[in-house]
Amino acid sequence: MITIARESRGMVHLDLAEKLNVTKPTAWRWENDVFGISEDVIEKLAKTLHYPESFFYQKGEVLPLSLSYRKRNVVAAKLISQIEANINISRLNIEQLLDAIRYEDIKLPILDVNKYGTPQECAKQLRKLWKLDKGAINNLSEVLEKHHILLVSLDFNTERVDGRCTMALDKFPIIVTNKSLLGDRQRFTLAYELGHLVMHLYTSPAYDRDLSHEANLFAAELLMPEKEIYKDLEDLSLPKLGELKRKWKVSMQSLVYRASDLEILTDNQKRYLIQQFNQQNIRRREPKELDIQAEQYKLVRDLLTHYRTKQKISIAKMASFLHLEQEDFLSRYSN
């Protein structure tokens, strides 16, 4: 828990050692349990890292996070460590909450690519299982929360990482997304991580499969079903892509790549459209007037509110229950 606390604040061992006026090897030894740690040290750590002392005595395992990040190719290891630490804290919080309210188990669909043939077929199967309407999914987070997938939004302190999925108590799926995401990228990230959960979590895929590519294919079919979007993707232009972005709530570039994957666009046509993105300077940031509003997550917040109301406790005591300071609790779980 000392490691998690330190990494969540973006510190390396040397940073912590300097703040506490000890040597770097001493800080390392605390985390690796080379010698016992006094209560005075825990008190100093709590003040320096801004966590209650109870934070460092929490039960439960610190798990390696499941499956793949949705991220850019190169992200600094220090940033990844900070994100993983904060996701683990949210997972521990959720485990504490679900255990207290005795949340009932959920049945996550298991869609094996080997059984259904392709990630796209897995996405079609999920749409059938969940009885989703044809066409664009109006509010994807609402759909996921309806099926008891726990969604959390955190500040990743970078735009290079979009999301991650993990499990609470080995049975409750969690998807964590970056607070900085615009709605179109947020929705694709949710669909991408959902693909990992339903296709890869319980199916033991072979080591040589490209799971990230499979998750991308799943997300594209889930958000842009071939049967319903095919005609929309004919005769694409920048103005038409803007209209389709509003309709399907995905990025203009996602629409171009979807048209390419469905072989509606030739390589030359795709290249021409991408060149237009570059010329208009909208490849990294599409026009603001076309922004899709980010979706708000409700399930975790509602479970926290329900527990707090039932127990008749203040926000400060709720934060203490989760081994957080009040300010940290509010920044994590207030929209």
Side-chain angles (χ1 to χ4, degrees):
M1 294 312 299
I2 297 171
T3 304
I4 290 265
R6 171 181 60 76
E7 291 180 342
S8 75
R9 302 308 186 201
M11 293 185 192
V12 296
H13 286 109
L14 183 60
D15 298 328
L16 184 61
E18 288 177 348
K19 284 183 177 293
L20 293 175
N21 197 28
V22 297
T23 64
K24 180 181 173 182
T26 296
W28 183 89
R29 286 202 236 13
W30 287 336
E31 294 184 21
N32 290 275
D33 200 27
V34 175
F35 48 61
I37 302 172
S38 69
E39 290 184 6
D40 287 346
V41 169
I42 293 295
E43 184 180 349
K44 289 177 183 177
L45 286 166
K47 288 179 180 177
T48 301
L49 296 169
H50 307 292
Y51 287 108
E53 290 179 37
S54 66
F55 179 93
F56 300 93
Y57 297 98
Q58 287 182 76
K59 295 179 180 178
E61 296 294 324
V62 175
L63 301 176
L65 300 177
S66 305
L67 311 172
S68 298
Y69 279 107
R70 183 168 189 245
K71 63 181 179 67
R72 307 282 172 84
N73 287 334
V74 180
V75 184
K78 183 178 177 182
L79 269 176
I80 292 292
S81 295
Q82 184 175 17
I83 292 167
E84 288 197 358
N86 278 300
I87 292 175
N88 261 312
I89 290 169
S90 289
R91 180 185 57 79
L92 289 169
N93 292 165
I94 288 170
E95 288 184 348
Q96 175 96 344
L97 176 65
L98 297 184
D99 187 56
I101 64 177
R102 297 183 179 179
Y103 200 62
E104 63 182 68
D105 293 0
I106 72 162
K107 290 185 178 179
L108 189 69
I110 300 174
L111 303 172
D112 192 340
V113 176
N114 290 327
K115 177 181 177 180
Y116 292 102
T118 65
Q120 295 93 320
E121 288 300 320
C122 291
K124 291 175 186 176
Q125 186 66 21
L126 186 72
R127 272 185 164 259
K128 288 179 186 175
L129 286 172
W130 283 0
K131 299 177 181 177
L132 300 183
D133 293 335
K134 290 183 178 181
I137 298 172
N138 183 50
N139 190 318
L140 181 58
S141 62
E142 194 174 88
V143 171
L144 298 186
E145 291 185 327
K146 178 184 175 183
H147 291 89
H148 307 289
I149 295 173
L150 300 148
L151 307 180
V152 176
S153 178
L154 291 179
D155 184 355
F156 286 176
N157 293 317
T158 178
E159 293 184 352
R160 300 189 68 81
V161 181
D162 292 343
R164 182 71 142 144
C165 59
T166 188
M167 298 290 286
L169 300 170
D170 292 326
K171 55 189 174 182
F172 300 107
I174 303 171
I175 297 176
V176 184
T177 59
N178 193 339
K179 263 185 184 175
S180 70
L181 296 179
L182 296 173
D184 54 341
R185 197 164 183 92
Q186 175 203 35
R187 283 162 53 86
F188 202 96
T189 299
L190 290 173
Y192 172 97
E193 299 297 347
L194 176 63
H196 277 312
L197 289 170
V198 299
M199 293 191 299
H200 304 141
L201 186 62
Y202 296 116
T203 59
S204 302
Y207 74 93
D208 57 345
R209 278 168 50 187
D210 187 343
L211 302 189
S212 182
H213 181 59
E214 289 183 9
N216 272 317
L217 294 175
F218 175 94
E221 176 62 33
L222 186 74
L223 294 172
M224 299 169 279
E226 179 180 358
K227 282 186 178 179
E228 283 98 58
I229 202 171
Y230 194 93
K231 286 196 175 297
D232 280 357
L233 296 177
E234 294 175 348
D235 303 317
L236 287 181
S237 63
L238 285 188
K240 186 174 183 181
L241 285 168
E243 293 172 13
L244 293 177
K245 176 173 181 172
R246 288 195 179 100
K247 176 179 178 179
W248 290 95
K249 296 187 174 183
V250 296
S251 70
M252 296 165 72
Q253 288 186 76
S254 292
L255 290 159
V256 169
Y257 284 105
R258 185 66 170 143
S260 175
D261 289 342
L262 296 176
E263 298 183 349
I264 300 168
L265 286 179
T266 66
D267 287 343
N268 284 338
Q269 288 170 326
K270 176 184 174 182
R271 197 176 300 114
Y272 173 72
L273 286 169
I274 297 299
Q275 284 174 351
Q276 286 192 295
F277 279 116
N278 290 331
Q279 288 169 5
Q280 299 288 330
N281 198 28
I282 58 172
R283 188 164 185 182
R284 290 185 63 84
R285 177 64 168 90
E286 294 180 3
K288 289 186 178 181
E289 62 269 21
L290 298 176
D291 281 356
I292 306 299
Q293 188 172 3
E295 296 178 359
Q296 299 299 306
Y297 306 154
K298 298 177 182 178
L299 179 57
V300 172
R301 183 196 65 194
D302 289 349
L303 291 173
L304 289 165
T305 301
H306 172 75
Y307 179 79
R308 190 166 71 85
T309 303
K310 190 174 180 181
Q311 297 297 318
K312 298 178 181 177
I313 57 177
S314 65
I315 289 177
K317 286 188 176 179
M318 188 69 204
S320 178
F321 168 69
L322 296 178
H323 310 291
L324 298 173
E325 293 188 350
Q326 184 172 325
E327 183 180 349
D328 206 357
F329 170 78
L330 290 172
S331 71
R332 283 176 175 272
Y333 300 114
S334 296
N335 289 332

